[in-house]
Amino acid sequence: METGAITGYIDVAQVTLYAFWVFFALLLFYIRQEDRREGYPLEADQSGAFNRDDWLFLPPAKTFLLPHGHGEVSVPNDKRDNADRPVPGAKIANFSGAPYLPTGDNPMLDSIGPGSWAERSDTPDLSHDGKAKIVPLRVASDFAVAEGEINPVGVRVVGYDLVVAGTVSDVWVDRSEQMLRYLEATTEVGDAPRQILVPINFGVFRKTGDGERIFYVHALRGEQFASVPSTKQSDSVSFLEEDQITAYFGSGLLYADPSRQEPLA
């Protein structure tokens, strides 16, 4: 046997296998730490207690630079949702995981259940060249409704109670995905007319008995369009505003009418 050879004394295949096991275990530990950057540490549903010093499983804070000069964010940061935005609701029972009943004046604005929304950035989604992605056709002048398709401008928006909520004044498109996202409507309900955005996926085009084309929204009653969350800018919508608007329509499928909260007979 050659002097200095180690293959005669060590099972190289077995050492390689053990090394792989160690590497794989460390990789799993690293990945499990990284996926705890947001939403952790967890809070106890009943007491609200949480372990802010979970040094073993929570990773050290890492700073990320946001695109388009929107600053930076460090996570994990121990930010607690309930501390900044208390849940305006009460549990229906005293056990972990029990659902909440909204307690505010308008349950569709309480951010509970299908109406919940996340604390997203209050800035518009931007394309790679720094322009807002979702804008009305009056801004996206190079876009137009395809010939032969329904042009929603001038169509009346109607709630599930067949009350006219407003009239479509413009169409909002996603310039990156090249698709229609919202209908901008001028409300005819509430204290004063205002511009609102209606997510296109929450309605369908229908024809009335006299042949008029309407945009029918099953999620809301006509009067409830008066409380649709608005946008700060007339020609753009932020991530946060998109969440709030969509949540309002989504919550209407449960809270727009008390009968929707009951089991089907």
Side-chain angles (χ1 to χ4, degrees):
M1 183 178 295
E2 184 179 350
T3 303
I6 63 172
T7 54
Y9 306 97
I10 298 177
D11 188 334
V12 177
Q14 189 171 29
V15 170
T16 303
L17 178 63
Y18 290 161
F20 171 77
W21 284 352
V22 171
F23 163 77
F24 194 68
L26 293 175
L27 177 64
L28 289 178
F29 182 76
Y30 169 78
I31 293 174
R32 291 297 290 128
Q33 272 201 326
E34 288 300 305
D35 69 23
R36 288 180 169 89
R37 289 200 174 276
E38 294 187 274
Y40 285 81
L42 298 177
E43 296 186 22
D45 189 30
Q46 294 286 78
S47 65
F50 76 114
N51 180 12
R52 68 169 66 246
D53 298 319
D54 192 356
W55 59 271
L56 180 60
F57 294 107
L58 288 183
K62 181 185 291 186
T63 299
F64 296 87
L65 299 178
L66 302 180
H68 306 294
H70 287 164
E72 58 186 38
V73 60
S74 296
V75 286
N77 52 22
D78 290 336
K79 183 179 179 180
R80 306 178 67 181
D81 287 340
N82 289 347
D84 300 329
R85 183 159 60 99
V87 176
K91 283 191 171 187
I92 65 171
N94 189 29
F95 62 85
S96 294
Y100 283 81
L101 284 178
T103 56
D105 296 333
N106 187 344
M108 294 186 292
L109 295 173
D110 286 348
S111 186
I112 290 179
S116 60
W117 46 270
E119 292 281 359
R120 303 183 72 193
S121 172
D122 198 13
T123 56
D125 189 9
L126 302 179
S127 60
H128 69 280
D129 57 355
K131 296 181 180 179
K133 287 184 179 180
I134 303 176
V135 294
L137 287 182
R138 59 179 178 270
V139 174
S141 56
D142 51 341
F143 282 75
V145 178
E147 185 176 351
E149 298 293 332
I150 299 173
N151 188 341
V153 176
V155 171
R156 295 199 293 176
V157 179
V158 178
Y160 75 85
D161 56 355
L162 301 184
V163 172
V164 176
T167 304
V168 177
S169 55
D170 208 342
V171 176
W172 287 51
V173 295
D174 187 325
R175 294 193 282 195
S176 293
E177 300 294 335
Q178 299 187 6
M179 63 184 297
L180 194 156
R181 293 288 189 185
Y182 299 96
L183 298 181
E184 178 183 296
T186 303
T187 61
E188 300 175 13
V189 293
D191 297 333
R194 66 187 186 95
Q195 303 300 114
I196 63 170
L197 295 184
V198 182
I200 189 65
N201 293 334
F202 276 95
V204 293
F205 289 100
R206 291 183 177 179
K207 282 190 176 181
T208 62
D210 57 3
E212 179 191 3
R213 193 180 300 278
I214 62 173
F215 188 70
Y216 173 79
V217 179
H218 181 66
L220 305 180
R221 296 199 306 269
E223 65 180 22
Q224 292 169 333
F225 282 82
S227 300
V228 173
S230 58
T231 62
K232 298 190 304 294
Q233 305 296 326
S234 60
D235 293 337
S236 65
V237 57
S238 70
F239 288 107
L240 177 62
E241 291 164 347
E242 282 199 81
D243 248 29
Q244 292 173 335
I245 292 170
T246 305
Y248 185 83
F249 282 86
S251 66
L253 296 173
L254 181 64
Y255 297 130
D257 191 284
S259 64
R260 294 184 174 181
Q261 302 178 49
E262 301 299 325
L264 296 177

